[in-house]
């Protein structure tokens, strides 16, 4: 069951109390979560699952995610206000992204948050060229758009989460929003492998011995490294040269907070990239 945003915030506040201060990446993440949780709160009473059982079953059968861009209920004034706050947070932590505070603070919602730009982001297409005018790193632009739209995706996903028949999906993209996974876990019960959506934090079950990016099942191309405690695994694929970080919940002593794990394992990203592997996103 995905962890709620408020539970992650609580955990981070507790951690800060105990340790005095949070490392900069976690502090950044907490600030983002505060804005996102506020948006989620405003959306909570408005959204309801808009799909019939039949429609859901049909989509799952056909491999069509349950939310298309046009079905995503975006409240533009709320989205724009969230974007402005989020942009400010990215600007305050500009050094984490090798960017400049001024450049980030200058980003305008009127350029980034057009319907066509968001649709392109959602459908994983190249962003319009108007967005890259200031030589801004495209990955960073993608991250900012993502952070602003995330509470809408999460809120919408929550209304549909329970209707996923896990055994009938098992595809390499998110059953709810179509996003790629960026983290995985092996469950505590049977060691089954689950993927975590990079966009809406939905979890879905997937084959242990298959690459979630290029779908190869050739075992000569797939392997993993684990840390000394056996808690983390870095799965790599020689076919597409991508990696996915994985936590083995059978080895965990405490509760694992998956979205937070993305930030607790930044060293694994560094190592994987140094070894020549790429993360899930495609910068186009
Ligand atoms: Zn998703
Ligand atoms: Zn692959």
């Amino acid at each position: 069951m995905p962890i709620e945003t408020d539970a992650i915030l609580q955990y981070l506040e507790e951690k800060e109390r105990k340790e005095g201060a949070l490392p900069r990446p976690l502090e950044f993440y907490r600030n983002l979560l505060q804005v996102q949780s506020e948006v989620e709160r405003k959306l909570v009473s408005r959204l309801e699952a808009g799909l019939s059982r039949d429609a859901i079953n049909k989509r799952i059968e056909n491999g069509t995610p349950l939310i298309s861009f046009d079905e995503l209920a975006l409240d533009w004034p709320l989205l724009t206000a969230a974007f402005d706050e989020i942009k400010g947070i990215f600007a305050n932590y500009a050094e984490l992204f090798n960017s400049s505070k001024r450049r980030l603070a200058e980003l305008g919602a009127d350029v980034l948050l057009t319907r066509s730009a968001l649709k392109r982001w959602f459908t994983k297409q190249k962003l319009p060229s108007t967005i890259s005018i200031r030589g801004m790193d495209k990955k960073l632009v993608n991250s900012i758009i993502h952070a602003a739209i995330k509470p809408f995706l999460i809120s919408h996903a929550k209304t549909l989460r329970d209707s996923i028949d896990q055994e009938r999906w098992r595809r390499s993209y998110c059953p709810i929003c179509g996003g790629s996974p960026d983290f995985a876990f092996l469950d505590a019960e049977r060691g089954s492998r689950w993927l975590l959506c990079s966009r809406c934090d939905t979890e879905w079950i997937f084959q242990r011995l298959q690459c979630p990016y290029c779908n190869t099942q050739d075992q000569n191309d797939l392997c993993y490294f684990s840390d000394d405690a056996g808690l983390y695994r870095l799965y790599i694929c020689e076919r597409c040269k991508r990696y996915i970080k994985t936590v083995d919940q059978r080895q965990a002593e405490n509760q694992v907070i998956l979205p937070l794990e993305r930030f607790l394992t930044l060293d694994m990203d560094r190592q994987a990239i140094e070894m020549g592997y790429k993360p899930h996103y495609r910068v186009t």
Side-chain angles (χ1 to χ4, degrees), residues 174 176-179 197 199-202:
C174 172
I176 306 259
C177 81
C197 178
R199 307 204 301 196
C200 74
D201 289 348
T202 293

Side-chain angles (χ1 to χ4, degrees), residues 42-93:
K42 288 183 177 142
L43 291 172
V44 84
S45 54
R46 298 196 217 161
L47 288 167
E48 48 190 70
L51 288 175
S52 67
R53 187 71 252 169
D54 252 14
I56 289 175
N57 286 343
K58 237 178 234 139
R59 289 201 193 183
I60 297 287
E61 205 61 58
N62 297 335
T64 309
L66 300 187
I67 310 176
S68 68
F69 181 75
D70 294 328
E71 288 162 332
L72 189 60
L74 289 175
D75 170 331
W76 287 87
L78 187 57
L79 178 62
T80 311
F83 171 82
D84 281 335
E85 283 193 68
I86 280 165
K87 174 186 81 173
I89 298 171
F90 272 84
N92 285 337
Y93 292 84

Side-chain angles (χ1 to χ4, degrees), residues 210-216 221-222 236-242:
Q210 184 172 344
C211 171
Y213 301 119
C214 71
N215 282 314
T216 185
D221 284 334
L222 301 168
I236 53 168
C237 172
E238 291 301 340
R239 171 85 49 101
C240 67
K241 290 280 177 190
R242 290 210 160 72

